[in-house]
Amino acid sequence: EGGHVTFVSNNAYENTAESLGECFERNAEGMLKNMAIHELALLVSFYDVSVDNIESVTADKEFSSLQTLAGPSGKDWTDFDKIKFTIRTKNGKEVSVAADRCGGTDSYATVTKDENEVFRYYMPDEEDKELVEKLTAQYPTAMPYFFTQDPDYITVKERVAKHTVDGEEAEGIATVGIAVETLKVAEYLTPILQEQLK
């Protein structure tokens, strides 16, 4: 009770204009609809976040960075290379998201109380780190986040396949309704956060 949750998503792009420019072009839908979409789906699912229920959103200007960089095509792309923000809902819930394209391979969630961290959960956890090392050696040119998320993708595919066979609800899987609302939230937040970082 009284704790604040922050979901942190990291990727392992090189912190160079060339690497980020390629990332911005290949992921032209933008960070919130690409990398941070998973965290936003958690907010929609568990924190009552919706476009209609957002009271405020505040960017952490010290952490966040918005850049315009040339992609491989030569065209300029504007996106966040890192963003952190806090959403407050009209029914009083507050939750934060941080995403960093160059933050490494581990993602995690923290709970803080009175500005002290009281809990942290990492992905990959200790059990999955061995698999990550094995897959990294086997596929050295693939993006590392594929390996940290591999066990979760297998679980999602199994649950959706089971639903297809038996028609029962896929437990713990975001519905199409959640997906639609999550995309609406991403589209709503992007220009607001961009404006706050100008």
Side-chain angles (χ1 to χ4, degrees), residues 15-17 20-21 24 64-70 76-82 102 194 197:
N15 193 3
T16 65
L20 288 170
F24 288 6
S64 304
S65 173
L66 178 70
Q67 296 191 55
T68 299
L69 299 169
D76 283 346
W77 300 90
T78 299
D79 198 3
F80 308 104
D81 56 289
K82 59 183 184 174
C102 306
Q194 288 174 335
L197 296 179

Side-chain angles (χ1 to χ4, degrees), residues 19-34:
S19 179
L20 288 170
E22 186 279 331
C23 171
F24 288 6
E25 184 169 308
R26 186 167 35 84
N27 302 292
E29 67 275 18
M31 181 186 267
L32 294 187
K33 289 170 72 176
N34 175 266

Side-chain angles (χ1 to χ4, degrees), residues 34-110:
N34 175 266
M35 182 180 165
I37 199 73
H38 310 95
E39 289 71 29
L40 290 178
L42 290 171
L43 273 55
V44 170
S45 298
F46 300 110
Y47 291 86
D48 299 326
V49 171
S50 67
V51 170
D52 294 335
N53 197 31
I54 294 173
E55 180 178 288
S56 65
V57 59
T58 306
D60 180 332
K61 294 179 182 180
E62 283 187 40
F63 178 90
S64 304
S65 173
L66 178 70
Q67 296 191 55
T68 299
L69 299 169
S73 68
K75 181 179 174 186
D76 283 346
W77 300 90
T78 299
D79 198 3
F80 308 104
D81 56 289
K82 59 183 184 174
I83 183 73
K84 183 176 181 184
F85 56 91
T86 299
I87 291 177
R88 184 179 229 341
T89 64
K90 292 176 182 173
N91 54 337
K93 294 184 179 180
E94 193 173 278
V95 62
S96 298
V97 171
D100 187 344
R101 294 274 192 204
C102 306
T105 58
D106 292 350
S107 294
Y108 55 92
T110 64

Side-chain angles (χ1 to χ4, degrees), residues 125-164:
D125 59 20
E126 290 303 318
E127 187 177 314
D128 292 335
K129 284 186 179 184
E130 192 173 303
L131 174 65
V132 170
E133 288 175 17
K134 178 183 168 191
L135 291 171
T136 301
Q138 190 174 354
Y139 305 102
T141 59
M143 287 301 294
Y145 61 82
F146 289 134
F147 310 135
T148 60
Q149 297 171 1
D150 185 69
D152 295 322
Y153 284 135
I154 290 169
T155 299
V156 167
K157 289 176 185 178
E158 288 173 347
R159 289 181 183 179
V160 171
K162 182 179 181 308
H163 163 74
T164 303

Side-chain angles (χ1 to χ4, degrees), residues 30 144 175:
T175 64

